[in-house]
Amino acid sequence: IRLSLVGSEMCIRDSFYREGIERKNKFVGLTEAVFKIYKSAYKPNPAPDQVKLLKMRRIISQQEKDTIIARMKSGINASLSLDLIKELPDFLLIDEKIESYMYASSDIAVIDDRLAHVIYFEQKGNINSALYRGELYIDTENNALLRAHFEINPKYIKQATGMLVEKKSRNLKITPQKVIYTVTYKPYNGQYYINHVRGDLFFRIKKRKQLFGTFPLHTWFEMVTCKIDTNRVSRFARSEALPTRTIFAETRFTYDEKFWGNFNMIPPEEKLNDAIGKISSKIEETEE
């Protein structure tokens, strides 16, 4: 496997973010927001990225209000951590972790009009911990990572419960079923920047001391880059920066009806990249 790890310079990224919860295959909660993100340069020991909240809204169904639903470790911090080139995961630390994974070139694909090698990876049979498996899409000309699609190995996924569940009701038993991530990169002025992040986490929920009756819970998060600025770049004041490790759905905010008024909810199944025009125009209104 050959991969160009030359990263991008620091920038300010306008981004649209959303996260949601589906209980028993029905929508129960959605949180959407517009952020400015300070991205430090890709280099050894970079400064932490920062997030500045511009606008936010939350939609909660009556079912969610009446039920204590688990809060998951996903959200903003996961979206930032999934910048795979900046925070190399074990399956990209080739020199240090090659003993943990098997790699195979499986196909050629087209990603945004670019030819890409498809590299499949999976943990070796003698590794009995919750690692990853998936595909890397690497540009055939410059070895840039264009896309990564990967999941926690289903065989060991129950071992990952502690790192996935943030807060839950005491009478709930939560068992992870499937966790899938997708990350894409796109070029801008000769450098590659993270473009889109998506995480889908599937669980089975059971009430304790109840022999029967489990139900599915699907929580997901998604962030898309709308605009990149490499000219006017500076860190945010501490008072402006949003804590990224908190449960974002519980963040206090003031609803701006003027901003959200004619901006209809983008259905969860609709790809954010397909709606980028609508999102970008709203962010430009905010900056004005």
Side-chain angles (χ1 to χ4, degrees):
I1 178 173
R2 296 179 59 200
L3 184 64
S4 173
L5 298 181
V6 178
S8 59
E9 58 187 322
M10 62 181 180
C11 67
I12 297 293
R13 215 178 73 199
D14 291 350
S15 299
F16 181 82
Y17 171 83
R18 61 180 181 174
E19 63 180 37
I21 298 175
E22 296 173 27
R23 181 176 182 268
K24 296 182 180 180
N25 299 316
K26 293 182 179 180
F27 160 80
V28 294
L30 176 69
T31 304
E32 297 180 321
V34 176
F35 295 144
K36 279 190 176 293
I37 299 177
Y38 169 83
K39 294 285 292 181
S40 58
Y42 292 11
K43 60 183 180 180
N45 302 315
D49 294 340
Q50 292 180 299
V51 174
K52 179 180 179 181
L53 176 63
L54 300 181
K55 300 292 180 181
M56 177 180 174
R57 68 175 173 180
R58 184 166 57 239
I59 304 169
I60 302 176
S61 72
Q62 190 62 41
Q63 183 182 19
E64 164 72 353
K65 293 177 181 178
D66 295 339
T67 307
I68 300 177
I69 293 293
R71 303 303 188 196
M72 303 300 163
K73 286 183 179 178
S74 56
I76 303 169
N77 188 64
S79 297
L80 299 177
S81 299
L82 282 170
D83 189 344
L84 303 180
I85 301 302
K86 187 172 186 179
E87 300 191 28
L88 293 173
D90 53 4
F91 55 80
L92 288 182
L93 290 172
I94 307 303
D95 293 337
E96 300 178 29
K97 293 288 185 177
I98 195 168
E99 72 277 2
S100 298
Y101 288 93
M102 300 179 293
Y103 300 85
S105 179
S106 61
D107 205 352
I108 295 289
V110 178
I111 306 293
D112 294 328
D113 299 322
R114 301 285 298 180
L115 286 177
H117 294 293
V118 183
I119 308 297
Y120 176 79
F121 65 92
E122 185 173 11
Q123 67 190 81
K124 292 184 176 180
N126 62 331
I127 305 297
N128 299 317
S129 55
L131 300 184
Y132 297 99
R133 69 179 187 184
E135 302 90 32
L136 304 172
Y137 296 79
I138 301 173
D139 193 297
T140 58
E141 291 186 13
N142 58 23
N143 294 325
L145 179 64
L146 302 178
R147 178 184 297 173
H149 182 77
F150 56 102
E151 65 177 337
I152 296 177
N153 192 327
K155 185 176 180 180
Y156 303 106
I157 194 168
K158 290 183 180 180
Q159 298 180 20
T161 302
M163 73 180 199
L164 298 172
V165 178
E166 176 68 41
K167 186 171 69 175
K168 66 181 179 66
S169 171
R170 292 182 178 180
N171 69 337
L172 294 180
K173 180 181 179 180
I174 302 179
T175 305
Q177 301 293 302
K178 182 167 58 174
V179 177
I180 305 173
Y181 301 110
T182 301
V183 181
T184 68
Y185 291 84
K186 283 189 175 182
Y188 173 77
N189 288 346
Q191 296 277 356
Y192 277 83
Y193 294 82
I194 192 164
N195 175 64
H196 179 245
V197 171
R198 169 89 185 198
D200 288 273
L201 298 82
F202 298 86
F203 302 86
R204 297 295 299 182
I205 309 295
K206 180 183 178 185
K207 290 186 177 180
R208 296 188 183 276
K209 299 181 181 181
Q210 183 173 313
L211 294 178
F212 305 100
T214 64
F215 62 86
L217 180 72
H218 172 207
T219 181
W220 51 270
F221 60 90
E222 191 167 22
M223 184 180 289
V224 63
T225 298
C226 303
K227 180 181 177 182
I228 295 172
D229 187 351
T230 58
N231 296 319
R232 298 169 295 174
V233 181
S234 61
R235 291 184 64 82
F236 305 136
R238 180 176 297 183
S239 59
E240 295 179 316
L242 181 74
T244 61
R245 295 184 180 274
T246 57
I247 299 171
F248 182 60
E250 297 179 350
T251 300
R252 293 184 179 181
F253 69 99
T254 300
Y255 179 75
D256 186 342
E257 184 176 359
K258 182 179 179 181
F259 176 82
W260 294 108
N262 62 351
F263 185 57
N264 294 328
M265 185 188 78
I266 302 171
E269 66 274 9
E270 181 178 338
K271 294 181 179 178
L272 276 185
N273 284 329
D274 296 339
I276 193 69
K278 293 186 290 184
I279 298 168
S280 296
S281 64
K282 296 303 296 186
I283 293 178
E284 289 177 5
E285 290 180 19
T286 300
E287 293 177 338
E288 292 174 0

